[in-house]
Amino acid sequence: MTCHRLSPSSGSVPGTLSCMDTTHSDTADRSLRHWSEAGRRTMDAFYELATQDYRELVAAHDWAGALRDQQHDGRVRLLDVACGSGKFPSALLAAGLADDLDGLSVEVDLLDPSAFSIAEARAVLTAPFVPADELEIGLEELDAGRAPYDLAWATHALYAVPPARLADGLARMHAALRPGGLGVVAHATSASHYLAVYEAYRASHAPEATPYITAEQVADGLRAAGAEVTVRDVRYRTGTDDPAVAEGFLQRCLFDDAISLEDMAAPGPNGQELAAYLAGCRDGEVWTFTHHVHLITWRAD
Ligand SMILES: C[S@@+](CC[C@H](N)C(=O)[O-])C[C@H]1O[C@@H](n2cnc3c(N)ncnc32)[C@H](O)[C@@H]1O
């Protein structure tokens, strides 16, 4: 908690203390409000395009091999950090993971502060995935007593973690692995669409909003926790020529349902940044978004 003394220009009684919980973030609050039944419209619009994120991730790595390497006695204990609506396991299943694992059982603990997300993810888990415990918490609240996992992954998942809690959360994820266990974080870089569009939005529309976490911050946090990370680049584009899909996708990228596509393309109260960024994504009716993702892996000692 940090506190500062209010100035006469603040509109409050001068000299009184204003306290702000710096471990909490407005972006985290907006994320949690959207990962709910009320947020289903933009979630569905978002995944019209973002399902491709998970197809690219599935193609970028030998996931069946990684799961086989981590198994003991025919089972893998997996922690799915910020499980969301289970799009990554869904993409693995669609790519034939069950056939590739030949009877191996992957027991999944689902971690997410949103009960809605946990229920959505649980509903898509079929063999070889077996849903196990539900941890309705943020990564930064993960108890060391949950260890050890053979594998912990967070796939396009940590954007809204409060920045002040990121290092602690990553250290907990690292500590949750058994010796030799595998950690994986797939996350967009600062140059990638998800980060670039949010930075542009913050600049022109919401300067008080807490920034999203970048892949570079994740890798730094893991190194600080003692993990020797390997970072691989995954690059691709997504797009649509349907304005309704583009609007819903972008609203979800911003966690702002109130801003129309027209408003996004116009100057904001604080500048042109969002309009300028989106002008670069648009050619007539066709929208194209450029993604630069880091696939970060490490093994626990
Ligand atoms: C884009 S989704 C993740 C997608 C998921 N990996 C999948 O396979 O579909 C982001 C999730 O992060 C969760 N989240 C937000 N803040 C978090 C935190 N501090 N710790 C863990 N999860 C968090 C949200 O509730 C949301 O369910």
Side-chain angles (χ1 to χ4, degrees):
M1 183 89 73
T2 57
C3 302
H4 63 271
R5 211 158 283 284
L6 292 171
S7 68
S9 61
S10 69
S12 298
V13 180
T16 56
L17 281 179
S18 162
C19 299
M20 183 176 62
D21 183 353
T22 53
T23 61
H24 214 62
S25 97
D26 55 307
T27 295
D29 291 341
R30 288 185 14 251
S31 164
L32 197 54
R33 279 204 300 279
H34 279 79
W35 285 99
S36 66
E37 196 54 52
R40 191 178 283 282
R41 178 186 70 81
T42 55
M43 181 182 82
D44 289 347
F46 179 74
Y47 282 119
E48 290 265 336
L49 298 190
T51 301
Q52 187 66 22
D53 293 331
Y54 294 103
R55 286 197 207 106
E56 298 284 345
L57 208 50
V58 167
H61 195 69
D62 175 12
W63 296 100
L67 285 158
R68 276 195 299 267
D69 284 351
Q70 293 306 316
Q71 63 102 15
H72 53 93
D73 300 332
R75 56 194 281 254
V76 175
R77 201 173 162 215
L78 165 67
L79 177 64
D80 189 345
V81 173
C83 62
S85 48
K87 294 296 186 287
F88 182 53
S90 292
L92 286 169
L93 291 168
L97 183 73
D99 293 340
D100 295 341
L101 288 188
D102 196 23
L104 188 72
S105 168
V106 182
E107 295 163 17
V108 191
D109 283 1
L110 296 165
L111 182 153
D112 201 293
S114 155
F116 169 85
S117 291
I118 290 174
E120 292 284 304
R122 193 177 185 93
V124 305
L125 294 181
T126 57
F129 296 113
V130 179
D133 286 351
E134 300 181 353
L135 310 177
E136 196 184 317
I137 53 174
L139 175 58
E140 62 279 11
E141 299 165 279
L142 177 63
D143 188 337
R146 300 299 312 182
Y149 290 95
D150 303 305
L151 174 59
W153 68 37
T155 57
H156 287 293
L158 304 179
Y159 300 106
V161 172
R165 306 297 301 274
L166 179 69
D168 182 36
L170 292 169
R172 286 166 189 256
M173 184 174 174
H174 180 47
L177 292 167
R178 66 161 165 78
L182 178 67
V184 180
V185 177
H187 201 101
T189 68
S190 52
S192 196
H193 167 72
Y194 296 128
L195 276 297
V197 74
Y198 202 61
E199 279 308 289
Y201 171 73
R202 284 189 343 104
S204 54
H205 291 72
E208 304 296 322
T210 301
Y212 282 162
I213 298 296
T214 68
E216 294 89 337
Q217 287 174 293
V218 172
D220 285 348
L222 286 166
R223 288 189 192 103
E228 282 187 31
V229 298
T230 300
V231 179
R232 276 186 43 208
D233 266 337
V234 183
R235 294 173 190 244
Y236 54 95
R237 290 178 177 189
T238 56
T240 181
D241 58 6
D242 181 337
V245 171
E247 182 174 79
F249 171 74
L250 288 166
Q251 286 175 337
R252 185 67 172 206
C253 291
L254 305 175
F255 287 131
D256 183 347
D257 298 355
I259 187 167
S260 67
L261 203 52
E262 201 181 328
D263 289 342
M264 292 181 216
N270 294 289
Q272 308 261 0
E273 285 84 347
L274 183 60
Y277 172 76
L278 291 178
C281 301
R282 186 175 185 174
D283 182 3
E285 290 306 305
V286 179
W287 291 86
T288 305
F289 306 106
T290 303
H291 302 271
H292 181 186
V293 173
H294 279 172
L295 179 57
I296 303 168
T297 56
W298 73 99
R299 278 187 192 281
D301 305 325

